[in-house]
C-alpha cells in the first residue's frame, strides 16, 4: 500500500510491483506524459520530478530521477510533475523564465529542466550561477544549448517571490500529515504477495530479512533500479531501508562522523564537508544533484561496484562500517569490506548499518580526484584519493591512498604507501615514487580508457597531490565556474 499526494490529490496504490518505477507509473498508469524517458538510467534528467517531504524543518522539495525511483518510495510524500506547475492558468515563474530567455527548442528535455529549477526555486540556495549549475547538474539538453537555460535559472533566483505552492504551504503540509501514517503500520507493511518489506526499526528489519532471505535491500535505488531498467531483470523481493529509524541517523562526536546506511549524500554533505572540505569536488562529481538526493553511502558500499566512488575515499580516511543482523554487530574496516566483483564480507542475514569516518588529524591533507569524461554525472575512469599526515618536521607519519576504477575492487598498495613513512614530504622523490606506483598497477582496459591511460593518469595524480600539498600557490587546475576546478 502506497499513499501519497499527486500534486494535491491523495492517491492510494493498493498493490504495486516492488520494482514499479515512478516514471512508468506516471506515464502508463497516471497518464501524465509530460515527464519524459531518455536514458532510463539516471543520466539525462528528462524524467526529473520533484518530491515534497515533511521534515523537522517543514516541507522540503527535492528533485529526483523518476526513471530509477521506485514508486513505493513515495509513501507519505507529495509527487509533483511538470503538469502540476500551472499557476491558475499562467505559467510558473520557472517556465516563464525559460520562455523569456529562449531556454527551449525541441522541448524534450524541458520538463526535466523545469522540475530541477522548481526544486532550486524552493531551496535556500543563493541567487548565483553556481547554484544553478549544481541544480542542473543532472540535466542534458541536446539542441538549445545551456547558456539561455542557465541565464533563465540565474534570473529566476534573483527574482524569487514565491508561487502557489509557497502561498499554500500550510495546507499542503496538513494534507501530507493527513495521509495514512507516513510509515506503513506493522500489520500491513509486509505484503508478501508483492514481495515488499518496509521495516521501521532494526528489529523489524531483522524479521523482514528472516522472512525474505533472498530479498534485495534498497534505499536510494540509484544503482539497483538499473537492473530493472537496463537489464530488464524483475526485482520481485525488496526490503526498503529508508524507513528504518536507526539507518537514517547522522551523528557527529569527538570520534568522527557516524552515518546511517540510508542517509542520502545530500543530507551527508554538510557534515562531511565541515570536517573534510577538500572532499567537495569529489562529492559534487559523484553524481548529479538528483542522484545525490537519493543515493546513499550504504548502497554504494553494499553494491561493491568496481566503479563506486565512495570506497576509495572511505578507505583513505580510515573509515569502518558496522554490520548488523539485529542481534549482533561487528565492525569491519572499509578496506576489508569488499572482497571481489560486487562481493562483500556481509553474511546472508546482515546489512550495512552505520559508516564511521574518523575525525581528521590537525594538519592532515586530503585530495580526492575523479577522472571521467562528463564532469558531474559519470562513471570514474580513475578515482584516486590520498590522505596524508605529517609531523612537525614535515615527515610522513601516515599516507593512505586508494584507487577506484582500476580493478574489480578498490586498490590499496600497502607496500608502496609504507615506503613513504618517515620521509620528508616536501622533498620525497616524486618521480620515482610515481613510477613505482605505475609499476604496481595492472588496471583494466575497457571502453572508458585503455590500461595504459589509467596507469599514466594514476601516477600523474600522485604527482599532482604532492604538488598541491607542497606548493599550494602553483595552479594545478583549469578553473571553471564558481568553486569547482576542472580536473
Ligand atoms: Fe534519463 Fe531518467 S530518463 S535520467
Ligand atoms: Fe531539445 Fe533540450 S530543447 S534537447
Amino acid at each position: 500500500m502506497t499513499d501519497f499526494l499527486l500534486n494535491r490529490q491523495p492517491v492510494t496504490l493498493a498493490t504495486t510491483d516492488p520494482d514499479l518505477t515512478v516514471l512508468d507509473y506516471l506515464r502508463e498508469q497516471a497518464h501524465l506524459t509530460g515527464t519524459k524517458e531518455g536514458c532510463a538510467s539516471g543520466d539525462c534528467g528528462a524524467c526529473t520530478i520533484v518530491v515534497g517531504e515533511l521534515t523537522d524543518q517543514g516541507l522540503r522539495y527535492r528533485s529526483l530521477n523518476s526513471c530509477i525511483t521506485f514508486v513505493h518510495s513515495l509513501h507519505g510524500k507529495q509527487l509533483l510533475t511538470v503538469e502540476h506547475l500551472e499557476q491558475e492558468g499562467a505559467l510558473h515563474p520557472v517556465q516563464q523564465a525559460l520562455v523569456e530567455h529562449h531556454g527551449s527548442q525541441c522541448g524534450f528535455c524541458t520538463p526535466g529542466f523545469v522540475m530541477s529549477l522548481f526544486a532550486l526555486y524552493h531551496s535556500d540556495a543563493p541567487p548565483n550561477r553556481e547554484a544553478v549549475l549544481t541544480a542542473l547538474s543532472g540535466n542534458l539538453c541536446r539542441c538549445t544549448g545551456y547558456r539561455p537555460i542557465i541565464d533563465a535559472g540565474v534570473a529566476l533566483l534573483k527574482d524569487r517571490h514565491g508561487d502557489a505552492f509557497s502561498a499554500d504551504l500550510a495546507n499542503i503540509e496538513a494534507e501530507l500529515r493527513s495521509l495514512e501514517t507516513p510509515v506503513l503500520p506493522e500489520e500491513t507493511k509486509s505484503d508478501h504477495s508483492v514481495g515488499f518489506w518496509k521495516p521501521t526499526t532494526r528489529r523489524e528489519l531483522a524479521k523482514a530479512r528472516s522472512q525474505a532471505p533472498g530479498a534485495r535491500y534498497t534505499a536510494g535505488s540509484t544503482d539497483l533500479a538499473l537492473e530493472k531498467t537496463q537489464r530488464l531483470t524483475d526485482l520481485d523481493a525488496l526490503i526498503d531501508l529508508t524507513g528504518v529509524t536507526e539507518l537514517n541517523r547522522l551523528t557527529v562526536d569527538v570520534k568522527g562522523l557516524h552515518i546511517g546506511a540510508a542517509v542520502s549524500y545530500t543530507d551527508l554533505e554538510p557534515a562531511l564537508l565541515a570536517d573534510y572540505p577538500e572532499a567537495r569536488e569529489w562529492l559534487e562529481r559523484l553524481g548529479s544533484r538528483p542522484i545525490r538526493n537519493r543515493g546513499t553511502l550504504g548502497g554504494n558500499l553494499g553494491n561493491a561496484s568496481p566503479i563506486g566512488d565512495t570506497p576509495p575515499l572511505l578507505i583513505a580516511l580510515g573509515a569502518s562500517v558496522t554490520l548488523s543482523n539485529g542481534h549482533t554487530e561487528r565492525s569491519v574496516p572499509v578496506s576489508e569490506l569488499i572482497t571481489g566483483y560486487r562481493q562483500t564480507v556481509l553474511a546472508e542475514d546482515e546489512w550495512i548499518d552505520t559508516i564511521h569516518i574518523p575525525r581528521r588529524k590537525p594538519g592532515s591533507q586530503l585530495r580526492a580526484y575523479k577522472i571521467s569524461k562528463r564532469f558531474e554525472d559519470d562513471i570514474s575512469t580513475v578515482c584516486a584519493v590520498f590522505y596524508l599526515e605529517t609531523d612537525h618536521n614535515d615527515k610522513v607519519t601516515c599516507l593512505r591512498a586508494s584507487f577506484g576504477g582500476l580493478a574489480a575492487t578498490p586498490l590499496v598498495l600497502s607496500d608502496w604507501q609504507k615506503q613513504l613513512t618517515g620521509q620528508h614530504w616536501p622533498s620525497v622523490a616524486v618521480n620515482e615514487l610515481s613510477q613505482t606506483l605505475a609499476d604496481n598497477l595492472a588496471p583494466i582496459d575497457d571502453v572508458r580508457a585503455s590500461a595504459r591511460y589509467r596507469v599514466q593518469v594514476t601516477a600523474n595524480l600522485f604527482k599532482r597531490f604532492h604538488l598541491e600539498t607542497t606548493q599550494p600557490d602553483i595552479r594545478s587546475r583549469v578553473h571553471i565556474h564558481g568553486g569547482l576546478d576542472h580536473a
Side-chain angles (χ1 to χ4, degrees):
M1 190 86 80
T2 304
D3 296 300
F4 60 97
L5 288 182
L6 180 58
N7 191 14
R8 307 295 291 273
Q9 180 71 37
V11 173
T12 295
L13 293 181
T15 302
T16 60
D17 292 333
D19 59 358
L20 175 68
T21 65
V22 175
L23 181 63
D24 285 349
Y25 161 74
L26 284 171
R27 293 185 61 85
E28 293 169 15
Q29 297 188 23
H31 305 297
L32 292 170
T33 52
T35 306
K36 307 301 182 201
E37 176 169 354
C39 62
S41 57
D43 288 328
C44 76
C47 68
T48 306
I49 51 155
V50 165
V51 169
E53 183 175 6
L54 286 175
T55 69
D56 292 344
Q57 289 76 43
L59 182 60
R60 179 187 70 197
Y61 285 121
R62 282 186 174 169
S63 57
L64 307 177
N65 297 118
S66 63
C67 66
I68 51 169
T69 300
F70 295 131
V71 85
H72 59 70
S73 70
L74 298 175
H75 189 73
K77 300 176 186 170
Q78 182 187 26
L79 168 60
L80 297 176
T81 71
V82 71
E83 286 92 345
H84 303 132
L85 266 51
E86 178 195 330
Q87 310 278 290
E88 295 179 353
L91 293 176
H92 186 277
V94 168
Q95 296 165 312
Q96 190 62 41
L98 283 167
V99 169
E100 287 170 7
H101 289 82
H102 307 285
S104 178
Q105 288 193 36
C106 81
F108 187 80
C109 70
T110 308
F113 275 95
V114 166
M115 297 314 290
S116 287
L117 288 173
F118 175 85
L120 177 65
Y121 190 77
H122 280 273
S123 73
D124 56 5
N128 58 35
R129 182 181 161 85
E130 186 65 30
V132 174
L133 291 175
T134 300
L136 298 181
S137 54
N139 294 88
L140 296 181
C141 175
R142 283 291 169 262
C143 61
T144 299
Y146 296 99
R147 202 259 311 145
I149 300 174
I150 294 165
D151 287 350
V154 175
L156 180 73
L157 287 186
K158 288 186 172 158
D159 190 25
R160 249 188 296 197
H161 294 303
D163 59 10
F165 295 92
S166 41
D168 209 19
L169 188 64
N171 284 329
I172 298 172
E173 291 180 347
E175 286 163 20
L176 278 171
R177 276 191 289 271
S178 72
L179 287 173
E180 292 280 313
T181 51
V183 181
L184 297 171
E186 188 160 5
E187 315 83 68
T188 60
K189 70 169 57 103
S190 303
D191 185 342
H192 296 250
S193 64
V194 297
F196 176 64
W197 287 258
K198 187 156 185 173
T200 56
T201 62
R202 280 196 191 108
R203 186 179 61 82
E204 291 178 6
L205 175 52
K207 190 173 156 194
R209 179 82 278 178
S210 66
Q211 287 172 338
R216 307 285 296 276
Y217 293 124
T218 178
S221 71
T222 52
D223 194 48
L224 182 66
L226 302 187
E227 294 190 23
K228 162 85 174 178
T229 65
Q230 304 300 303
R231 288 182 224 146
L232 308 182
T233 305
D234 283 334
L235 301 165
D236 50 15
L238 294 179
I239 300 175
D240 184 347
L241 302 175
T242 58
V244 181
T245 311
E246 298 92 331
L247 269 55
N248 281 286
R249 287 195 188 125
L250 173 58
T251 55
V252 184
D253 62 21
V254 288
K255 289 186 179 166
L257 272 173
H258 310 282
I259 308 146
V263 172
S264 72
Y265 294 120
T266 297
D267 289 334
L268 166 64
E269 204 168 303
L272 179 67
L273 298 185
D275 214 18
Y276 294 100
E278 307 99 315
R280 175 176 292 283
E281 179 184 311
W282 167 88
L283 191 60
E284 291 182 339
R285 299 193 57 188
L286 182 134
S288 64
R289 173 56 78 199
I291 294 289
R292 302 205 304 273
N293 284 342
R294 290 278 298 160
T296 64
L297 273 186
N300 201 244
L301 289 174
N303 283 331
S305 164
I307 38 81
D309 284 331
T310 70
L313 181 88
L314 294 171
I315 291 169
L317 295 183
S320 62
V321 289
T322 298
L323 308 182
S324 174
N325 61 11
H327 309 290
T328 58
E329 292 184 342
R330 60 182 173 131
S331 176
V332 175
V334 175
S335 57
E336 295 171 20
L337 178 72
I338 298 171
T339 53
Y341 180 79
R342 291 190 177 272
Q343 291 176 335
T344 69
V345 299
L346 275 165
E348 178 59 38
D349 63 347
E350 284 181 318
W351 59 82
I352 296 173
D353 194 278
T354 309
I355 298 98
H356 309 275
I357 300 179
R359 272 270 148 88
R360 71 184 308 160
K361 291 269 169 50
S364 58
Q365 305 257 24
L366 169 72
R367 292 292 186 279
Y369 302 116
K370 173 166 177 164
I371 303 295
S372 59
K373 291 194 171 83
R374 182 177 164 194
F375 193 73
E376 293 101 342
D377 199 11
D378 201 357
I379 290 169
S380 286
T381 301
V382 174
C383 178
V385 185
F386 302 93
Y387 173 80
L388 173 75
E389 291 172 4
T390 50
D391 65 15
H392 59 282
N393 291 318
D394 282 337
K395 291 203 169 149
V396 176
T397 52
C398 169
L399 177 84
R400 281 193 299 262
S402 183
F403 309 98
L406 299 181
T409 59
L411 198 61
V412 176
L413 300 170
S414 303
D415 290 342
W416 177 81
Q417 288 176 187
K418 275 187 206 141
Q419 64 181 303
L420 277 145
T421 306
Q423 292 200 40
H424 183 246
W425 177 242
S427 56
V428 292
V430 181
N431 288 337
E432 280 173 34
L433 282 162
S434 68
Q435 186 57 52
T436 323
L437 172 60
D439 292 345
N440 278 287
L441 300 175
I444 53 173
D445 191 311
D446 67 9
V447 66
R448 279 188 287 280
S450 66
R452 206 169 131 230
Y453 174 84
R454 284 184 159 98
V455 168
Q456 185 70 62
V457 85
T458 306
N460 287 352
L461 287 173
F462 172 68
K463 288 186 188 174
R464 179 193 280 183
F465 175 62
H466 185 266
L467 185 71
E468 289 182 347
T469 51
T470 56
Q471 302 179 66
D473 294 336
I474 290 186
R475 197 165 168 181
S476 58
R477 313 286 185 97
V478 177
H479 191 74
I480 60 161
H481 58 78
L484 283 178
D485 287 341
H486 208 304

